[in-house]
Amino acid sequence: MMMETPANGRPPGPRDDPWDMALQQFHLAAEHLRLKRGVREVLSHPQREFKVNFPVEMDDGSVRVFAGYRVLHSTVLGPTKGGLRYSPLVRISEVRALAMWMTWKCALTHLPYGGAKGGVACDPSLLSSGELERLTRRYATELAPLSGDRRDIPAPDVGTNAQVMAWFMDTYSMHHGFSVPSVVTGKPVSIGGSAGRQEATGRGVMITAREAAEVRGIAFVGSRVAVQGFGNVGSTAAHLMHAAGCRIVAVSDVRGGIYSPGGLDPAAVRRHIDATGSIEGFPGADAVSNAELLEVPCEFLVPAAIEGQITGANASRIRAQVIVEGANGPTTPDADRILDDRGILVVPDVVANAGGVIVSYFEWVQDLQSYFWSEEEINAHLERLMVHTFRRVLAFSREQHVSLRTGALIFAVKRVSDALLTRGVYP
Ligand code: NAD
């Protein structure tokens, strides 16, 4: 199997381990809250971890065994919510961290969910559609003891999409003998998905960037934007920021990126990818590596690929004024300290990319009620919640003299720990 290299071009070091990062961030918030030891202990462990090794018949008749995971970090505030990732880099430490970050994101945005995440170690670009479908259906079957619209509700993440969610939902429904659209979100609209879900995360990134521009006194129109990862989140953010008048100076995918100080048209980049299968070779732009893209001069840097990209090794060379974290965990704690010292504003993942889970929540509510809202209604509710969350975190962080990340986590951890203490320790 082809292995992807990390986008910043170097293997992750121990300090960049995602679970270690998530714990460091959590303990910082726990210190501020003077959280009781027992509560701290509970929240620094995932509640449930599931590892499965399952066979898939490949197109050539051979059988391969894949490793899949699902981690439920906390069910204190409700059923768990979080994406499914298909990537060669999937490992337990990554899934654990992503599950914990989902707990904080849901708590911060007042959604009635705990956090979860799942993944299969595979390279979906090397699988046929039939292989991907069989892998998804078998993985969904392996997760059956956990899944359910009142238990654990997956959504798309890196390497998965609405079609994967449709196979997951269909498999679950076949086993139950009736259709259960609410068991996943991010489905196609034709089978109970929500208008606006596909664009929701990128739309939220655009909204928080616009809010951050106001705070920083940056003219949003004409501002320069570099986007790492031109997938669902990154490409939507690029399209919407371009439509809002920003200049998209650089974009990338897993293979590398392009840079054009005069600005790129994201729609033309999309057409080029559709025609050639890659961002590489886009006419009129210079080739850059993913590592170089992070360091181009711009007002907004939007990491929208994977975690651990902005580290202690490159944070001093970042030239953006604001980092808007479309990805989960793109900035390590070492880098956070450097960026803070340099006065670079970091809009953390739990705020910047919350649009996805917010509209997933809208989708779940619509499915449970079998009553669907218009795209205008969805986008208006999303806008209101994103702006409210950003401003609340900003005000609280200023009051506490902490970064937006620590402020957001203090807020979220407090909500979860209060609920934990109210519910008590069973038995
Ligand atoms: P995607 O699979 O649609 O796109 C991922 C992009 O990143 C692609 O361009 C891919 O080529 C690139 N990429 C993948 N691996 C890479 C690597 N090792 N180095 C550099 N680039 C790489 O995924 P997505 O759904 O857009 O998710 C991107 C990020 O946003 C992830 O961190 C995910 O957890 C986060 N996120 C996604 C959602 C959502 O609704 N999809 C919601 C919240 C957060």
Side-chain angles (χ1 to χ4, degrees):
M1 188 190 297
M2 189 189 85
M3 286 298 289
E4 291 167 21
T5 47
N8 62 5
R10 68 188 179 89
R15 291 196 64 78
D16 304 346
D17 175 80
W19 178 236
D20 185 51
M21 275 173 58
L23 281 178
Q24 285 185 53
Q25 295 167 351
F26 164 68
H27 286 303
L28 203 57
E31 283 297 318
H32 276 274
L33 285 166
R34 300 187 202 289
L35 216 58
K36 283 187 181 162
R37 197 157 152 243
V39 176
R40 210 191 258 228
E41 273 284 296
V42 173
L43 293 178
S44 58
H45 290 85
Q47 187 174 329
R48 290 184 193 164
E49 292 190 350
F50 212 57
K51 158 124 199 255
V52 291
N53 297 296
F54 60 93
V56 177
E57 187 171 338
M58 310 306 282
D59 289 345
D60 65 5
S62 65
V63 171
R64 271 178 56 193
V65 173
F66 290 86
Y69 305 87
R70 185 80 183 163
V71 173
L72 313 189
H73 171 255
S74 165
T75 60
V76 171
L77 286 175
T80 44
K81 193 89 196 72
L84 298 180
R85 178 173 290 195
Y86 289 177
S87 150
L89 300 177
V90 163
R91 58 207 187 281
I92 189 67
S93 121
E94 180 184 71
V95 183
R96 252 181 216 152
L98 290 162
M100 181 188 254
W101 288 326
M102 282 306 296
T103 299
W104 310 142
K105 199 183 301 177
C106 294
L108 179 68
T109 47
H110 282 265
L111 304 181
Y113 294 133
K117 207 77 180 192
V120 177
C122 67
D123 186 341
S125 70
L126 302 180
L127 299 175
S128 71
S129 172
E131 289 168 340
L132 210 53
E133 176 173 354
R134 291 193 291 282
L135 179 144
T136 300
R137 289 188 181 278
R138 180 62 191 248
Y139 174 53
T141 306
E142 297 286 348
L143 294 191
L146 299 177
S147 305
D149 60 3
R150 306 289 174 156
R151 303 173 121 206
D152 179 45
I153 307 134
D157 193 79
V158 174
T160 61
N161 56 22
Q163 178 61 69
V164 171
M165 295 306 113
W167 289 325
F168 194 107
M169 173 273 200
D170 184 69
T171 305
Y172 183 89
S173 299
M174 288 299 111
H175 290 181
H176 285 75
F178 54 92
S179 289
V180 191
S182 46
V183 72
V184 290
T185 59
K187 302 175 289 294
V189 172
S190 59
I191 57 167
S194 177
R197 171 60 185 91
Q198 183 136 348
E199 302 80 28
T201 313
R203 184 174 292 280
V205 167
M206 182 273 285
I207 293 168
T208 46
R210 196 196 58 209
E211 290 292 309
E214 206 178 305
V215 172
R216 272 303 159 101
I218 299 168
F220 199 49
V221 173
S223 61
R224 294 164 301 171
V225 183
V227 182
Q228 185 196 51
F230 200 67
N232 178 342
V233 177
S235 71
T236 307
H239 280 287
L240 293 175
M241 291 177 84
H242 177 74
C246 304
R247 190 156 29 116
I248 311 301
V249 293
V251 295
S252 69
D253 64 15
V254 65
R255 293 198 248 176
I258 49 175
Y259 174 56
S260 172
L264 298 157
D265 173 6
V269 176
R270 170 58 58 204
R271 284 194 296 276
H272 177 80
I273 295 171
D274 290 345
T276 67
S278 156
I279 273 181
E280 285 166 328
F282 183 78
D286 297 329
V288 283
S289 67
N290 265 296
E292 288 164 343
L293 178 140
L294 298 171
E295 299 172 19
V296 302
C298 58
E299 279 69 45
F300 294 97
L301 173 61
V302 180
I306 55 164
E307 53 282 348
Q309 297 305 298
I310 303 165
T311 67
N314 62 5
S316 58
R317 297 193 299 271
I318 302 289
R319 285 190 273 175
Q321 289 190 44
V322 180
I323 297 174
V324 187
E325 294 186 335
N328 286 306
T331 312
T332 66
D334 284 359
D336 264 338
R337 285 185 282 273
I338 296 168
L339 296 167
D340 208 30
D341 286 349
R342 295 185 56 216
I344 295 173
L345 183 68
V346 179
V347 185
D349 44 13
V350 289
V351 177
N353 70 33
V357 74
I358 288 172
V359 177
S360 273
Y361 166 65
F362 297 159
E363 179 173 334
W364 181 71
V365 169
Q366 291 170 88
D367 287 336
L368 291 176
Q369 299 181 340
S370 300
Y371 179 78
F372 290 86
W373 314 345
S374 70
E375 188 163 351
E376 290 70 35
E377 286 173 292
I378 298 279
N379 288 346
H381 281 298
L382 172 65
E383 164 92 24
R384 191 178 47 77
L385 250 171
M386 290 300 302
V387 169
H388 175 72
T389 303
F390 178 88
R391 292 184 183 170
R392 192 168 35 112
V393 168
L394 179 73
F396 182 73
S397 306
R398 282 181 168 169
E399 200 182 289
Q400 300 287 318
H401 305 290
V402 293
S403 68
L404 293 186
R405 186 183 322 280
T406 302
L409 291 189
I410 292 174
F411 208 92
V413 171
K414 174 149 178 29
R415 185 156 179 249
V416 180
S417 60
D418 283 352
L420 187 62
L421 288 167
T422 307
R423 286 181 61 159
V425 175
Y426 178 85

